[in-house]
Amino acid sequence: MAGQGVSHEDEDEAQIVSEGTFSALDPSALEESQAVGSGSHSDFEPGAAPAAPTTIIMVRGAGPLPRRHARRAHAATPDERLIATLGRAAPGDMAPVSAIGLETALEAMAPASKLAIAADLDCWLDWCAHEHRRALPAEPEDLVRYLRTLEADGRKPATLSRRIASLATVHRMLNLGEDALPTAAPMVRNALRAQRRRQGAAQRQAAPLRFGGELGGAGGFTITALLEACSPDVQGVRDAALLSLGYDAGLRVSELTAVEVKDLRPQGDGTGLLHLPRSKTDQEGLGAWAWLSADTMRRIARWRSESEISEGVLFRRVGVDRRRQRAKEAADARWGEEDADGAAMLVTFTVGDAPLTRQGVTGIYRRIALAAAREGLVDVPPAELDSVIAALSTHSLRVGLTQDLFAAGEDGAGIALTLRWSSPSTALRYGRQLQVQSGVAARVLSRVRS
């Protein structure tokens, strides 16, 4: 295509990004180590005739996604993982277990619950092997010793309670001690209560990402600052849509990564509705709805236009190939030139098919937060920047919206219903301080004690 223009039929498959003296980008060239083709500055020789102007083409979706680390050919499913661990834990003299009973127990669990039980059982088996104790059926005295070991290792009360609950489930699945579970023994319950008294039951919360701006009351990182820090390229457009939708709907990361195009319902006033077929607190699939702002719907529309996503999962991995951009920057530096805009046009973006992962979403939040800090959009002391960014998680948007609603004077029951919290007390846990500011005492006394 060098030395030629772009025909109308090419415009449907490619995007014209620049006019200049570089060779056209061939999709197959993305695998080549040479970053700039003939006619580039790197090939220019003094005294040679200048190359004819050509058109640089960036083909959307033609480049390969970066390869992930090699994985096993067959990764165990949650069912396989839990069954294998149960088989390792089962005593040799155990009575036969009903296959149908085990199947129904597995079918009733969420995948995350199966993995958590398997991990907790592994921990118990490791302790028993180290202490030369019989793992199953467990003895109450051994469970108390196990809890004390976990506490000495710095485990929180919530972790200890989950470990005991997992072991109780294991005993029920294998029909061990059905009449009197060792995990329900008074000494085990007393050990859990004693640890809560010593350490307190308060849990560490995810750092909130509140909206900021007109809602006010939020220092540090905010949704407003992060949206401003999103780049204008394909990756940044996706990131902005991800942040905006996740905040508006108060989604858990499992809900956010599962959003599909068919779940979106645009409304006549520019806003939208999001259908949630299933969630952590709706394992039976009754479904729920969430409201989306007009700004979020515009960002989603732009992301779909850029990525050409018409169906399937909405938020996907975006591969970014910057090799040609860096090669041009190096060539420009060699010749004392500067063309940052032209170099940026040489970046190739590839939109994948699979949804983002939990780890991927966390990485996106933290990458944008770092960009916001570098651009001076947030007021965070440099010494605290690393720890503040590390505190951001996939739960931060949901916690931030909860706190914004409390700050606006909404009650815990309404917030719990809107954001699909398991109970009002769960929502209150994330907004205790803000709820006090809009509570009964604050409303009454502020009128007479200003």
Side-chain angles (χ1 to χ4, degrees), residues 308-352:
E308 300 180 354
I309 293 176
S310 59
E311 61 181 3
V313 68
L314 182 61
F315 296 116
R316 310 178 185 187
R317 186 177 174 218
V318 175
V320 184
D321 190 327
R322 301 186 185 277
R323 288 175 293 178
R324 295 184 179 276
Q325 176 194 33
R326 291 165 182 159
K328 182 183 185 320
E329 291 172 344
D332 286 346
R334 184 190 312 170
W335 293 95
E337 299 179 2
E338 184 175 350
D339 183 14
D341 292 339
M345 293 297 183
L346 294 175
V347 180
T348 299
F349 298 92
T350 307
V351 179

Side-chain angles (χ1 to χ4, degrees), residues 13-275:
E13 301 294 333
Q15 179 181 2
I16 303 174
V17 294
S18 178
E19 294 284 344
T21 58
F22 289 84
S23 297
L25 294 186
D26 185 344
S28 62
L30 291 172
E31 294 286 62
E32 299 173 0
S33 59
Q34 184 178 0
V36 183
S38 62
S40 68
H41 288 296
S42 59
D43 294 330
F44 181 82
E45 295 180 3
T54 60
T55 302
I56 298 177
I57 305 297
M58 181 183 75
V59 180
R60 190 192 311 278
L65 283 171
R67 293 184 177 87
R68 297 185 184 275
H69 294 297
R71 297 181 178 179
R72 292 177 299 174
H74 173 68
T77 65
D79 281 7
E80 293 170 342
R81 169 86 166 83
L82 180 53
I83 290 175
T85 309
L86 289 173
R88 189 162 67 93
D93 57 352
M94 185 182 71
V97 176
S98 168
I100 294 180
L102 186 59
E103 288 176 4
T104 55
L106 292 173
E107 290 171 354
M109 295 181 192
S113 298
K114 299 171 189 176
L115 294 175
I117 292 172
D120 292 342
L121 181 54
D122 277 335
C123 180
W124 166 248
L125 292 176
D126 290 343
W127 182 87
C128 289
H130 183 268
E131 298 294 328
H132 304 289
R133 302 286 182 178
R134 179 186 174 95
L136 296 178
E139 294 293 336
E141 292 86 353
D142 289 340
L143 290 173
V144 173
R145 297 187 185 98
Y146 174 60
L147 291 174
R148 289 176 175 174
T149 300
L150 293 177
E151 182 180 3
D153 289 341
R155 304 297 183 184
K156 300 298 183 182
T159 301
L160 271 63
S161 296
R162 195 194 79 178
R163 296 278 169 86
I164 293 299
S166 294
L167 291 177
T169 300
V170 168
H171 279 76
R172 284 191 289 267
M173 293 178 71
L174 299 181
N175 296 327
L176 298 173
E178 187 66 29
D179 296 333
L181 291 175
T183 54
M187 68 174 67
V188 177
R189 296 302 171 190
N190 288 336
L192 290 172
R193 281 194 289 268
Q195 196 216 13
R196 286 194 291 269
R197 288 186 68 252
R198 286 190 293 269
Q199 295 192 14
Q203 300 183 41
R204 184 180 61 184
Q205 298 179 355
L209 268 175
R210 296 182 60 188
F211 187 79
E214 295 181 0
L215 290 182
F221 291 106
T222 63
I223 294 295
T224 301
L226 265 60
L227 287 175
E228 188 174 348
C230 290
S231 59
D233 56 30
V234 176
Q235 189 182 55
V237 170
R238 180 209 57 189
D239 295 346
L242 181 79
L243 284 168
S244 192
L245 185 145
Y247 174 82
D248 275 1
L251 298 183
R252 300 176 177 89
V253 65
S254 58
E255 299 164 349
L256 183 58
T257 56
V259 171
E260 296 190 13
V261 173
K262 66 180 181 181
D263 298 327
L264 299 168
R265 303 287 194 279
Q267 302 298 298
D269 60 354
T271 63
L273 296 177
L274 174 66
H275 181 236

Side-chain angles (χ1 to χ4, degrees), residues 363-425:
I364 290 171
Y365 292 169
R366 293 176 179 174
R367 170 171 52 77
I368 302 172
L370 182 59
R374 288 174 174 171
E375 295 176 19
L377 300 175
V378 295
D379 184 17
V380 178
E384 301 176 9
L385 183 60
D386 289 345
S387 61
V388 173
I389 291 179
L392 298 177
S393 74
T394 56
H395 214 46
S396 293
L397 272 67
R398 184 171 170 82
V399 174
L401 178 58
T402 299
Q403 294 191 358
D404 280 339
L405 294 177
F406 272 119
E410 299 297 328
D411 65 277
I415 294 173
L417 179 63
T418 300
L419 300 188
R420 306 164 305 284
W421 289 108
S422 57
S423 67
S425 61

